[in-house]
Amino acid sequence: MMVWLLGVGLAVSILIVSTRLQKWERTAAELAAGLLLASLPFVWIVFQDLPLILLAATAHAWLLLLPARLTLGRLERPFLHGSTQQNALIGVSVLAACALLQAWRPTEIAQTSLVLWMTASVCIGLFFLGQLWWNTRRYRLHAPTDSLPLSRLPTVSVCIPARNEDHALVECLTSVLASTYPKLEVLVLDDCSQDATSTIIRSFAHDGVRFIQGDTPADGWLGKNQALDTLAAHASGDYLLFMDVDTHLAPHSIEHLVHYSLTHGLEMTSVLPQSRLGVSAATTFGTLEYFWRLVLPITPKRAPVSSKLWMITKSSLIHLGGFASVSRKIVPEESFARRLASSQMYRFLVSNAAFGVTTAKRWNSQVETSIRLMYPRLQRQPMGVYGLCAALIALFVAPFMVLAVCSALGLTGPVFWVSLAAVVLLLLNYLLVLARVQPKNWFVAAFAWPIVVVQDFALLVTSMLQYEFGEVNWKGRNVCYPVVAVGRLAYVPRQTKR
C-alpha cells in the first residue's frame, strides 16, 4: 500500500507543481502521467474487496485525465491550472479514503454498512418524492378563468431557429399558425441549412411567416446563439417566444402563457413539454433530462430551464445584455433565467394536456443534446463527473443489483427489505415523472429505469471525453470552446415589475 500511495502522492504533487511552471509544464505533466500509470496495477494488489477495487481503480484512472488535458491545453490556462489543482486534490482524497477503508474493514459490520447504503437510497427516493410533489403543484399551469381585453395584450414574436429541419418544420409552423393569439408575428431563421429548410420557410410566406437568412457564426459565437440573436434583432414583439422545431403548440398555448406571465408579473417563463410520441425508443429509453428537472430543488441559484419553449420580454433581454453577453454559453437561456429568478421574475412551468405544449424529440436527438449539455453544466470538472457517476451507480443502480442478489440467494433479512423499499421508491418517482411528461408510454418506460440510469452514466462520460479530447457537434457544428465560464453576470433588478 505504501508504494501505491507514494506513487500517487508523488504524481499528484508533480501535477500541482506543473501548473506553476511554464517552460517545463508539459514535461512535468507527462512525468505525472507516467507515475500514475505505473502505480495503477497496485490497486488490484492493495485492495481485496470488489467495491473498493472499483472505487479506487476508477478514481485512479480519472486522475490520468488531468495530465492529459494539461498536456493538450485546449482550455484557457488560468481555468485549466485551477481546475487541475482542485481535481487533483479531490482525486487523491478519494484514494486516501479508499486506503483508510481498506485498513479498517471489520467484517462484522459489513451487513450494517450495506443496510446504511440502501437506506441512503431510500432517503433519496423519499426526498425526490417530496420535491416532485412540490414542483408539480407549484409550477403547473391552469387554464385562465378570465380573458384580457385586446388593448392589454402585448405583441408576441415567435422565433424559430431552423437548421436542417425539413423533417419537422411543416408540422411545427402549422401548429404555430393555428394559434388563437391575436397579436402574433412568426419569424423563422434558416441557419445555413443543407436541406429543403429554406424552401419550406418561404412556402409559408403567404401565411405571414417572415424568412430570415442566417449566417456563418462569427468568432466567439456559437451557431445557435447567433441565430437566436439575429431573430431577437428582427423581432418587434413585446415578448419573444423561442421554440424548437420539434415543439408543437395547441391553438390556445400562447394565449395561456401570456396570461400566466402577466398575471404573475413575470419577465421570463419556460415550459417543459409533454411527449406526443407513443411506444418508441425515444420514450422508453429517453434520457433523464426531464426527470432531474422535476425531482431536484428549484432555487434562485438553480433555476431549471426548458430550451424547447421559453419566452422573455424584449426589454428584459436587452437589460440583461442580450445574447452577446452569453455568446459562448451552451444554454444561453439558463443565464437569463438564473438572473431573473433571483428577483422572482422567472418561472419554470410544466405543460399538461390542457396547455398543449408537446414535443417529439427522437432518441438520437436526446443523446446528442445530453452529450452537448452535460459536461459544461459540471463546469468541465473531471472529478465532478466522477462523483456524479459514482452517485448514479451507488444510489440508483446498486439497489436493483442488491435486490436481485438477495432474491437469487433467498435472503430476506434487513438488506433485502431496505433495498426493496429503495427500488419501489425510485420506480415510483420515475413513474410519476413519466406520467407527467410522456402520458402515452409511462407504464412501459418505467421498467427501463436501471438501463436509462446506466445510459446517463455512459453519456456523461462520453460528454467529458468528447469535450476534452474530441469534438461535440450540434447539427454539424463543433460547439467546443476554450472558455467554460466567464463569470456569472449580475442582474440589476428594475424599480418596478412589468
Side-chain angles (χ1 to χ4, degrees):
M1 180 180 289
M2 291 302 299
V3 175
W4 172 69
L5 287 175
L6 183 62
V8 173
L10 184 59
V12 170
S13 299
I14 293 174
L15 194 60
I16 292 175
V17 171
S18 70
T19 61
R20 298 295 181 183
L21 305 175
Q22 292 184 359
K23 183 178 180 180
W24 303 103
E25 179 183 87
R26 183 185 181 91
T27 302
E30 291 173 349
L31 177 60
L35 286 169
L36 287 170
L37 280 171
S39 56
L40 182 58
F42 286 89
V43 171
W44 283 267
I45 300 173
V46 170
F47 299 100
Q48 285 79 46
D49 298 329
L50 182 60
L52 282 179
I53 291 175
L54 294 175
L55 187 63
T58 52
H60 197 127
W62 235 270
L63 281 174
L64 283 166
L65 293 171
L66 302 183
R69 71 205 294 251
L70 197 61
T71 301
L72 190 62
R74 295 181 61 174
L75 303 176
E76 283 194 340
R77 306 313 291 182
F79 170 83
L80 187 58
H81 291 166
S83 173
T84 300
Q85 294 170 12
Q86 296 171 13
N87 283 267
L89 292 174
I90 294 172
V92 79
S93 299
V94 172
L95 293 176
C98 291
L100 289 174
L101 288 173
Q102 175 64 30
W104 181 75
R105 46 191 288 266
T107 56
E108 63 273 10
I109 67 167
Q111 184 177 4
T112 303
S113 300
L114 194 55
V115 170
L116 292 175
W117 182 357
M118 294 299 102
T119 301
S121 189
V122 170
C123 293
I124 291 293
L126 289 172
F127 173 77
F128 281 176
L129 197 61
Q131 196 63 47
L132 179 61
W133 177 85
W134 169 259
N135 287 344
T136 52
R137 281 182 58 87
R138 170 78 169 145
Y139 301 112
R140 64 184 175 186
L141 281 161
H142 298 282
T145 56
D146 58 345
S147 59
L148 297 172
L150 185 62
S151 59
R152 286 193 56 195
L153 291 178
T155 54
V156 176
S157 298
V158 177
C159 303
I160 306 174
R163 178 173 168 83
N164 301 329
E165 302 284 5
D166 60 358
H167 63 284
L169 188 54
V170 173
E171 293 182 357
C172 173
L173 290 177
T174 301
S175 77
V176 172
L177 293 172
S179 174
T180 58
Y181 195 76
K183 297 182 178 180
L184 195 68
E185 70 169 354
V186 182
L187 301 86
V188 185
L189 180 141
D190 175 30
D191 192 8
C192 305
S193 300
Q194 287 85 46
D195 59 8
T197 295
S198 176
T199 303
I200 293 173
I201 299 172
R202 288 189 170 95
S203 70
F204 280 87
H206 62 281
D207 295 309
V209 174
R210 289 174 56 192
F211 171 84
I212 299 174
Q213 181 61 60
D215 200 359
T216 304
D219 291 341
W221 281 83
L222 292 175
K224 185 175 181 179
N225 299 25
Q226 180 170 297
L228 296 177
D229 182 64
T230 304
L231 284 165
H234 284 80
S236 60
D238 300 313
Y239 281 90
L240 308 183
L241 189 152
F242 298 95
M243 59 182 289
D244 289 349
V245 173
D246 56 20
T247 302
H248 286 188
L249 305 177
H252 52 266
S253 296
I254 296 177
E255 182 180 353
H256 287 358
L257 185 59
V258 171
H259 189 284
Y260 185 95
S261 299
L262 292 174
T263 302
H264 293 82
L266 302 173
E267 294 290 317
M268 178 177 175
T269 52
S270 70
V271 180
L272 186 67
Q274 286 187 322
S275 173
R276 58 180 179 272
L277 299 175
V279 178
S280 64
T283 55
T284 304
F285 302 107
T287 62
L288 293 175
E289 180 184 2
Y290 293 170
F291 177 82
W292 297 124
R293 294 182 188 181
L294 290 176
V295 300
L296 292 176
I298 296 176
T299 66
K301 292 185 178 181
R302 201 204 73 84
V305 175
S306 172
S307 301
K308 310 297 291 180
L309 187 145
W310 58 285
M311 186 174 74
I312 187 171
T313 61
K314 188 166 188 177
S315 56
S316 281
L317 182 62
I318 295 172
H319 182 65
L320 293 169
F323 289 99
S325 66
V326 289
S327 60
R328 290 183 174 182
K329 292 282 187 180
I330 299 294
V331 189
E333 54 271 21
E334 282 188 348
S335 177
F336 302 143
R338 187 184 302 114
R339 285 179 273 167
L340 288 169
S342 63
S343 54
Q344 303 297 316
M345 300 172 73
Y346 164 74
R347 185 69 58 84
F348 171 74
L349 302 169
V350 182
S351 185
N352 50 39
F355 190 66
V357 179
T358 62
T359 183
K361 194 166 188 176
R362 297 169 294 182
W363 178 80
N364 59 335
S365 295
Q366 294 181 44
V367 168
E368 291 174 358
T369 298
S370 294
I371 292 174
R372 181 169 60 93
L373 299 182
M374 282 180 164
Y375 196 45
R377 281 176 171 164
L378 291 174
Q379 299 299 309
R380 290 193 180 184
Q381 303 292 348
M383 291 310 298
V385 175
Y386 174 81
L388 186 54
C389 289
L392 284 173
I393 299 299
L395 297 175
F396 303 119
V397 176
F400 291 86
M401 300 171 62
V402 172
L403 181 62
V405 171
C406 289
S407 301
L409 298 177
L411 303 176
T412 57
V415 174
F416 171 83
W417 293 110
V418 178
S419 61
L420 177 62
V423 166
V424 170
L425 282 170
L426 291 173
L427 285 177
L428 179 61
N429 277 287
Y430 191 47
L431 187 147
L432 290 174
V433 171
L434 290 176
R436 194 64 188 266
V437 300
Q438 52 183 62
K440 296 182 179 180
N441 188 32
W442 59 271
F443 184 75
V444 175
F447 293 99
W449 163 260
I451 299 174
V452 173
V453 174
V454 173
Q455 175 183 261
D456 260 41
F457 165 85
L459 292 175
L460 187 55
V461 175
T462 302
S463 178
M464 176 185 68
L465 295 177
Q466 288 192 10
Y467 268 104
E468 291 290 356
F469 308 112
E471 289 187 354
V472 179
N473 292 305
W474 181 80
K475 297 186 182 297
R477 285 177 176 154
N478 182 23
V479 299
C480 293
Y481 266 89
V483 177
V484 178
V486 294
R488 290 187 177 179
L489 301 175
Y491 170 65
V492 181
R494 303 183 192 184
Q495 298 300 317
T496 59
K497 291 185 180 180
R498 183 178 178 83

